[in-house]
Amino acid sequence: MGRKSLKETRRLEIIKVFYQVAKKEGYENTSIAKIAKVMDINPSLIIHYFETKEGLTYELIDHILDRYLLIYTIKNKGKATLADIQGTIEMLFSKKWNLLFDDGLFYTFYALAFREKKIKLKYKLILDALRNGLALMIEQCNEQHITNVENPQVTADFIFVLVDGAYFYLSMESDKKAYLDRLAYYKQKAYDALSISSVKAVSAPVC
Amino acid sequence: MGRKSLKETRRLEIIKVFYQVAKKEGYENTSIAKIAKVMDINPSLIIHYFETKEGLTYELIDHILDRYLLIYTIKNKGKATLADIQGTIEMLFSKKWNLLFDDGLFYTFYALAFREKKIKLKYKLILDALRNGLALMIEQCNEQHITNVENPQVTADFIFVLVDGAYFYLSMESDKKAYLDRLAYYKQKAYDALSISSVKAVSAPVC
DNA sequence: ATATTAATTGAATGTTCATTCAATCTATTA
DNA sequence: TAATAGATTGAATGAACATTCAATTAATAT
């Protein structure tokens, strides 16, 4: 008896709006009042569902990291193909995953991790998950003799160092051509580490 | 006639305290009032010297980036020695430069750069200066046949990708041994890129 | 010593903030 | 339809914030 709980849907709605507002105006400029205004609800309703702003923030971080994890979906086929690993490399060095989450916010909370152990652990977990996923994929490729990588984990880590290091610098680069050239260079380094050939360039569609 | 201006010394004092407080409590939790309290001066004096908090923030960023630049001092000898370049690599992959500036703040403002073009330009300038400095050093080593690197700029960039990528991940790593092992691995990659041997391990001093 | 210039204070402003609490509304079930 | 439980509101709180302005203090030059 009593009313049906909207708790989970409402919470998710709030987090999503929080994300959008923070994306636009920055996390430090996003208040509970602002979120409430956008949603056309009362600020106290947000407190009702999250208790404190800190609680709300933690959930936003989870939300962003979940999206970050979507960079690649690990296919549980058990057998990764050449196309799979090529697709993963292409994805990692493309800008597609910028659509998944906001870089600025990702780094904002990354910076916060230096002062908050809880957040640091969250980030560590996600970064490891990605690296382990790639290592697993390389292992499967090894088994099928698609690759012959001595230490899949070390190679996976190395590829992510290339990705993270490249984007760290390139995020400050505004010259589009320079951006793409550099990225292509580091992508090739990744292919070299795997000793596989890069995916064939797809010809542009004729309009 | 009139009183001697303390403007520059006072400004620097304020920025330094701002830095210390922000380091401890985080930039977003550092108010003008807090800085003033630590300095035992009136908050309005800070406004008097910096006009707005934004102005103060920009100067703090400059301050941090200046320190970041100290990662290595470019010796204008004109002729870099093997020891110079080895020293530089050792420095880049050591934790010594964590003493120069606070990582958390560095990333906080890095994140801010995604929304503020001015800051992005500042960061770009510094990142390029470091890369160009290393490229120059490699060129000098080439001339003396210490190294034989085909493209010094590309190699310098690559080494910084290793540095940035490694620290990006390792900043979230709390296991000390894992941290050092990984760092050593990427340092070796840097030496490989230069085709020079790493510096000999220095034996620990006997106490 | 007096004029001048800058340093510094202190009080006041208005805004925004997170959070509280009690009151009201609304859907669901018995 | 009446009881119930959760959803939502609205008003209020007190703290902290950046910034203002006029007043005061202190050093330097003539």
Side-chain angles (χ1 to χ4, degrees):
Chain A
M1 66 187 85
R3 196 167 166 179
K4 197 173 142 198
S5 174
L6 299 179
K7 197 169 182 178
E8 286 317 309
T9 35
R10 224 33 174 156
R11 282 168 62 93
L12 194 59
E13 275 176 31
I14 293 168
I15 289 166
K16 282 183 175 174
V17 173
F18 188 12
Y19 172 69
Q20 292 300 334
V21 176
K23 181 177 168 178
K24 196 172 203 177
E25 312 196 18
Y27 167 67
E28 58 275 10
N29 301 318
T30 306
S31 64
I32 289 177
K34 279 187 188 170
I35 300 167
K37 193 164 200 175
V38 171
M39 295 184 75
D40 200 30
I41 60 172
N42 200 288
S44 50
L45 188 59
I46 295 177
I47 292 288
H48 173 245
Y49 281 122
F50 292 94
E51 316 242 330
T52 67
K53 198 192 176 185
E54 198 191 22
L56 181 57
T57 296
Y58 281 138
E59 305 240 11
L60 175 58
I61 292 173
D62 286 337
H63 180 67
I64 287 176
L65 292 184
D66 284 348
R67 281 168 155 263
Y68 184 56
L69 213 45
L70 292 177
I71 283 181
Y72 59 19
T73 315
I74 299 164
K75 294 129 187 161
N76 261 345
K77 296 193 244 171
K79 301 277 171 196
T81 66
L82 178 62
D84 285 337
I85 196 149
Q86 281 175 332
T88 300
I89 299 297
E90 291 297 321
M91 173 63 106
L92 288 176
F93 289 91
S94 79
K95 286 202 301 186
K96 285 179 201 166
W97 56 292
N98 278 30
L99 302 174
L100 291 173
F101 62 94
D102 182 70
D103 285 321
L105 284 179
F106 181 82
Y107 277 112
T108 295
F109 294 127
Y110 176 84
L112 212 54
F114 283 83
R115 276 182 298 116
E116 309 238 8
K117 276 171 231 155
K118 251 191 208 173
I119 300 177
K120 189 173 270 191
L121 286 174
K122 281 183 196 293
Y123 267 78
K124 182 67 164 46
L125 213 66
I126 298 296
L127 297 182
D128 279 334
L130 287 179
R131 280 154 181 74
N132 295 340
L134 181 57
L136 199 73
M137 191 178 279
I138 296 173
E139 268 172 37
Q140 291 175 5
C141 288
N142 269 353
E143 281 166 20
Q144 298 172 268
H145 307 289
I146 295 167
T147 55
N148 183 28
V149 171
E150 202 178 334
N151 193 329
Q153 185 70 56
V154 167
T155 302
D157 288 345
F158 174 66
I159 289 172
F160 270 99
V161 162
L162 289 175
V163 172
D164 296 333
Y167 280 114
F168 175 80
Y169 174 80
L170 291 174
S171 294
M172 301 293 111
E173 174 65 82
S174 50
D175 183 293
K176 261 196 170 181
K177 179 165 161 41
Y179 185 105
L180 292 173
D181 286 353
R182 292 267 197 122
L183 208 52
Y185 177 79
Y186 294 116
K187 183 166 77 180
Q188 187 53 50
K189 286 253 175 201
Y191 278 122
D192 291 348
L194 293 168
S195 298
I196 62 176
S197 62
S198 68
V199 80
K200 283 284 165 212
V202 179
S203 57
V206 182
C207 302
Chain B
M1 68 184 90
R3 195 169 167 175
K4 199 173 139 200
S5 174
L6 299 177
K7 198 169 181 179
E8 286 317 311
T9 35
R10 228 25 177 161
R11 281 168 63 92
L12 193 60
E13 275 175 31
I14 294 168
I15 289 165
K16 282 184 176 176
V17 173
F18 188 10
Y19 172 70
Q20 292 300 332
V21 176
K23 182 178 169 177
K24 197 172 201 178
E25 311 197 19
Y27 166 67
E28 58 275 7
N29 300 319
T30 306
S31 65
I32 289 177
K34 279 186 189 172
I35 300 167
K37 195 165 200 177
V38 171
M39 296 183 73
D40 200 29
I41 60 171
N42 201 287
S44 50
L45 188 58
I46 295 177
I47 291 289
H48 173 246
Y49 282 122
F50 292 94
E51 316 243 329
T52 66
K53 198 193 176 185
E54 199 191 21
L56 181 57
T57 297
Y58 281 138
E59 305 240 12
L60 175 58
I61 292 173
D62 285 336
H63 180 67
I64 288 176
L65 292 184
D66 285 348
R67 280 167 155 262
Y68 184 56
L69 213 47
L70 292 176
I71 282 181
Y72 60 18
T73 316
I74 298 165
K75 296 129 186 163
N76 261 345
K77 298 192 247 173
K79 300 280 171 195
T81 66
L82 177 63
D84 284 338
I85 195 149
Q86 280 174 332
T88 301
I89 299 297
E90 290 297 320
M91 173 63 106
L92 288 176
F93 289 92
S94 78
K95 286 201 302 187
K96 286 178 201 169
W97 55 292
N98 279 30
L99 302 175
L100 291 173
F101 62 96
D102 184 70
D103 286 320
L105 284 179
F106 181 82
Y107 277 112
T108 295
F109 294 127
Y110 176 84
L112 213 53
F114 283 84
R115 275 180 299 118
E116 310 236 9
K117 276 171 230 155
K118 252 192 209 172
I119 300 178
K120 190 173 270 191
L121 287 174
K122 282 182 197 292
Y123 267 77
K124 181 66 163 48
L125 212 65
I126 298 295
L127 297 182
D128 279 335
L130 286 179
R131 279 152 182 74
N132 295 340
L134 181 57
L136 199 72
M137 191 178 279
I138 295 174
E139 268 171 36
Q140 291 175 6
C141 287
N142 269 352
E143 281 166 19
Q144 301 172 266
H145 307 292
I146 294 166
T147 56
N148 183 28
V149 171
E150 200 177 336
N151 193 330
Q153 187 71 57
V154 167
T155 302
D157 288 346
F158 173 65
I159 289 172
F160 271 99
V161 162
L162 289 177
V163 172
D164 297 334
Y167 281 113
F168 174 80
Y169 174 79
L170 291 175
S171 293
M172 301 293 112
E173 173 66 83
S174 49
D175 184 292
K176 263 197 169 181
K177 180 167 161 40
Y179 184 105
L180 293 173
D181 286 353
R182 291 267 196 122
L183 207 52
Y185 177 79
Y186 294 116
K187 182 168 74 179
Q188 187 53 50
K189 287 253 176 200
Y191 278 121
D192 291 349
L194 294 169
S195 297
I196 61 175
S197 62
S198 68
V199 81
K200 283 283 165 212
V202 180
S203 58
V206 182
C207 301

